[in-house]
Structure formats: C-alpha cells, structure tokens
Amino acid sequence: MAGEIPDIVIGRLPIYLRELKRLTREEKTTTSSQELGRRLGISSAQIRKDLSHFGEFGKQGTGYHIEYLTEQLLKILHLTKKWDVAIIGAGFLGHALANYGGFGRRGFRIACIFDNNPAQIGRAMGELTVQHVDELEETIADLQIKLAIIAVPAEKAQEITDRLIEAGIKAILTYAPVPLKAPDGIRISYSDPVVQMQKMVYYLPPN
Amino acid sequence: MAGEIPDIVIGRLPIYLRELKRLTREEKTTTSSQELGRRLGISSAQIRKDLSHFGEFGKQGTGYHIEYLTEQLLKILHLTKKWDVAIIGAGFLGHALANYGGFGRRGFRIACIFDNNPAQIGRAMGELTVQHVDELEETIADLQIKLAIIAVPAEKAQEITDRLIEAGIKAILTYAPVPLKAPDGIRISYSDPVVQMQKMVYYLPPN
C-alpha cells in the first residue's frame, strides 16, 4: 500500500506533525481538519484525504485527538526512534546545521561532522568535534548511519555523495547547488535558497 | 499568459538556469534537452514542454545556444538586474546566509542583516554590519528592498513577517519552522531541513 501513496502526500505529513506539536505546546488536546487547515493554509478536505491513506484518525464531530494522531504520524514516518545524521562540511552552513536544535527535537541526532580543512578539524561544534573527512567511511559504518547532509562546495558534492553511498548512507539532504547522481533506492533531497528566491522573483514586478 | 503557466514549471526554470551556467563554465556553447535532462535527472520531453511556454529557444538538430537561452531565462525570471535582499536573524544560519557567495553570483545582493541580540549588533558579517532590528522598517524602505530571508526563531517569525510586509517586502524565504500568514500577493517560500529529512525517512526501512 505504501508504494501507492503519492510522494506529495508523504511530504505533507511532516508539516502536519510539526503543527500538531505546536498545538500540543499550546496545551490543546484535540483539533480538527478545519483548524489544522486554517493554521497551515491547506484545505481541510486535503488534510482529510491525505490522512485517509493511512487509516481513520478522527471522529465525526470531535475531530482528532492530538496525542494519538501525533503518535500515528511518528509511526508512519518511522520517527519512533531517533535517526543518526552525518554532516559533511563544517563551514558556516555546517556550523549552523550542527547547532540547530530542531533536529534533536524532531527525530534526529547529529552524530558526526566532517571537513577537509585542517583549520576546522578538531574544532568543537555543539557537542561534536569536527572530524577529518577521511574518517567518513569508518565512522558511518561503525555508527550504522543511514542519513547525511551535504554542506560542501558544489564541485565536491558528487565525490562526497559517492563515498557516502559506498559507506551505507541511504538518504541525503544536499545544500550544494548541483544535481547529484545516485543509484536507485537512494533518496536525495535538495535545498538551494537561490532557486527558491529566483522562483519568487518571477512573480514580482520587474522593477 | 504568465498567469497560466503552472507554478511547478516556474520552479524548474532556476534549475535549468543553474545548469546552463555550469555548462558555460565547462566552456560549452550549445546543449540539448537530452543533455540537460541527463544532467538534471529530468526527461528531455519535460524540459522542451517547460520551455515551450515561453517561446521557441532551440533548433531541431542543433539544440539550444547556451548563452542565448541563459539570457532568455534571466529575462523571464526578472533576473537581468540584481535584487537586494534583507536577512533577519544574525545567528548561525543568518551568518551562513550572509556569507554564501551563491546569492551574489546568481542575481541577488544581501543588502542588510538585522538582529535583536545586543551581542550581534554592530558585528561585521561578510561585507555587512549587523543592524538592530528596530532599523528594519527604515532600511527596507530607504533601499526599496522587496525580498527578505527570515532566519529567526519560530516564535518571532510571524511578527517579523508582519513588519516586513508593512515595510514593503513582497517575497519572503523563511527558515522558521512555522507557517506564516500573509496577505494575497505576498510570496512565501519555506525551507525546513527537518521536514525534508522526515519525508526521506518514510522511505527507509524503519531500523
């Protein structure tokens, strides 16, 4: 069944989860597709349809029990345990990522960070120490890490990708502004702020 | 005509532009939808269809002239001039963004950066000096800035959004993990690495 669920639906589940956690912090115990939709700018029908792929989570009239729906989404997304993550690149961006508390709060643990710059190696970054990139394969294998974030310059990104996959990495979030080649079964997710900005500029008056 | 072009098509134009610039750096002068597609992992038919919304850019047999197609895409995306950008938040992430050379090379100029933390204000960041967030409205109005990047904690993001829009900002890229409310006509683009990672984890075996 999982294979038939559209990728775009899966992509919205983390957004629902994030908002449910926000509702919990606001000390709410129940919500509805209407309330979630209003808060997220998504139609309530869309939310109901998305969730219906995975079962019946709400009751007519009373809506969703937040704690229960949160638990179910964590199960669906395989987030009932923490996932270790390797960061490659300890420049400004790697530094920002290693220090971002959102990973720890939402299912991930930054387990190691690598660089090839002697000035960075050995430096403390959050609770981590920057390791030499030559230790990448051994550390990832030892810790059985499946997830990595690439924060290296574009020209190094494919080489690092190849090494990560060889070492056992199954999913990569990359900030390098370059398309990466990877075998089937390896997930790649891109983040390029310039692409996002350029897209928005299209919609602005040109002066 | 512009209004009829699907948003997802517009979103691919910056990716094409980025790859054309890479081809230029490789000293190529012509390319084809097949070559672009192979490099980007997008079908050549998709690329031809996307570009056909805007005119005829290639010739049967000879393909695309890279310099010409680059110029056309820059025009279509309103990138023939540099756009000033304001960054709000001078923490690790704001720091990484202010120092990222990709903006300058690809149509943007980081014009100012703001924070509310006295320890950050006055600090040099790349070629900028961190300003107090209270100067946000005046600086944005003076420089007629239309684009902003939000790199502040989630709980501050909506207030900053409201102030930015009031000051004249038309498009916002936000790294705060929270949905933002904005009037019609204001573009908001989200970047949340945890959402991207959670989506990928869904596709991994759960242990």
Side-chain angles (χ1 to χ4, degrees):
Chain A
M1 169 176 160
E4 297 161 25
I5 298 168
D7 195 57
I8 197 164
V9 173
I10 305 302
R12 280 191 291 262
L13 300 185
I15 311 273
Y16 300 156
L17 181 62
R18 198 177 69 181
E19 202 60 26
L20 289 169
K21 292 198 171 179
R22 188 164 295 114
L23 284 159
T24 301
R25 283 198 298 277
E26 294 172 12
E27 304 191 349
K28 301 209 164 121
T29 55
T30 59
T31 188
S32 63
S33 55
Q34 288 78 13
E35 183 180 44
L36 272 176
R38 202 166 49 240
R39 291 172 66 117
L40 291 171
I42 297 175
S43 81
S44 59
Q46 182 72 70
I47 293 172
R48 287 193 301 274
K49 194 176 165 205
D50 285 352
L51 294 177
S52 73
H53 285 285
F54 304 95
E56 274 291 339
F57 301 113
K59 281 181 193 150
Q60 198 73 37
T62 56
Y64 302 112
H65 190 262
I66 292 170
E67 191 183 337
Y68 177 74
L69 182 55
T70 300
E71 282 168 14
Q72 297 308 308
L73 286 177
L74 288 172
K75 266 188 214 167
I76 291 164
L77 288 166
H78 301 159
L79 293 168
T80 51
K81 64 151 198 166
K82 281 219 176 190
W83 291 79
D84 278 350
V85 177
I87 295 176
I88 301 81
F92 290 118
L93 176 59
H95 199 169
L97 290 163
N99 282 283
Y100 178 47
F103 288 113
R105 284 191 297 272
R106 294 160 68 196
F108 300 94
R109 182 180 79 102
I110 307 298
C112 46
I113 181 163
F114 302 92
D115 208 298
N116 66 352
N117 177 354
Q120 295 291 348
I121 293 156
R123 191 176 160 198
M125 212 164 265
E127 296 177 4
L128 302 172
T129 302
V130 179
Q131 294 175 251
H132 195 289
V133 71
D134 285 353
E135 300 174 17
L136 182 153
E137 285 81 358
E138 196 180 333
T139 306
I140 286 175
D142 280 357
L143 298 176
Q144 299 188 293
I145 300 176
K146 302 297 176 205
L147 298 162
I149 301 178
I150 291 183
V152 304
E155 63 274 18
K156 294 279 182 193
Q158 185 63 54
E159 179 207 323
I160 292 293
T161 300
D162 297 343
R163 289 175 60 181
L164 288 171
I165 294 168
E166 185 68 26
I169 291 292
K170 301 296 183 197
I172 296 170
L173 170 60
T174 177
Y175 287 87
V178 55
L180 298 178
K181 288 179 180 56
D184 285 352
I186 305 292
R187 315 287 312 181
I188 310 265
S189 185
Y190 294 90
S191 187
D192 183 340
V194 182
V195 162
Q196 287 182 278
M197 298 284 280
Q198 289 181 338
K199 180 181 177 184
M200 291 196 291
V201 163
Y202 169 83
Y203 293 99
L204 301 187
N207 50 48
Chain B
M1 169 178 161
E4 297 162 25
I5 297 168
D7 195 57
I8 196 164
V9 174
I10 305 302
R12 281 191 291 261
L13 300 185
I15 310 273
Y16 300 157
L17 182 62
R18 199 177 68 181
E19 202 60 26
L20 289 169
K21 293 198 170 177
R22 188 164 296 114
L23 284 160
T24 301
R25 283 199 299 278
E26 295 172 12
E27 303 191 350
K28 301 209 163 119
T29 55
T30 60
T31 187
S32 63
S33 56
Q34 287 79 11
E35 183 179 45
L36 273 175
R38 201 167 49 239
R39 291 171 66 116
L40 292 171
I42 297 175
S43 81
S44 58
Q46 183 72 70
I47 293 172
R48 287 193 300 274
K49 193 175 165 206
D50 286 352
L51 295 177
S52 73
H53 285 284
F54 304 95
E56 274 291 338
F57 301 114
K59 282 181 191 151
Q60 199 73 36
T62 56
Y64 302 112
H65 190 262
I66 291 170
E67 190 183 336
Y68 177 73
L69 183 54
T70 300
E71 281 168 15
Q72 297 309 307
L73 285 177
L74 288 172
K75 266 187 213 167
I76 292 164
L77 287 166
H78 302 158
L79 292 169
T80 51
K81 64 149 198 165
K82 280 218 177 192
W83 291 80
D84 278 350
V85 177
I87 295 176
I88 302 80
F92 290 118
L93 176 60
H95 199 170
L97 290 163
N99 282 282
Y100 179 47
F103 288 114
R105 284 190 296 271
R106 294 160 66 195
F108 301 94
R109 183 180 78 103
I110 306 298
C112 47
I113 180 163
F114 303 92
D115 207 299
N116 67 353
N117 177 354
Q120 295 289 350
I121 294 155
R123 190 176 160 198
M125 213 164 265
E127 295 177 5
L128 303 172
T129 302
V130 179
Q131 294 176 251
H132 194 289
V133 72
D134 286 353
E135 299 174 18
L136 182 153
E137 284 82 357
E138 197 179 333
T139 306
I140 286 173
D142 280 357
L143 298 177
Q144 300 188 290
I145 300 176
K146 302 298 174 204
L147 298 162
I149 302 178
I150 292 183
V152 304
E155 62 273 19
K156 294 279 182 193
Q158 185 63 55
E159 179 207 323
I160 292 293
T161 300
D162 297 343
R163 289 175 59 181
L164 288 171
I165 294 168
E166 185 68 26
I169 291 291
K170 301 297 182 197
I172 296 170
L173 169 59
T174 177
Y175 288 86
V178 55
L180 298 178
K181 288 180 181 56
D184 285 351
I186 305 291
R187 315 286 313 180
I188 310 264
S189 185
Y190 294 91
S191 187
D192 182 340
V194 182
V195 163
Q196 287 181 276
M197 298 284 280
Q198 289 180 339
K199 180 180 175 184
M200 291 195 291
V201 163
Y202 169 83
Y203 293 99
L204 301 188
N207 50 47

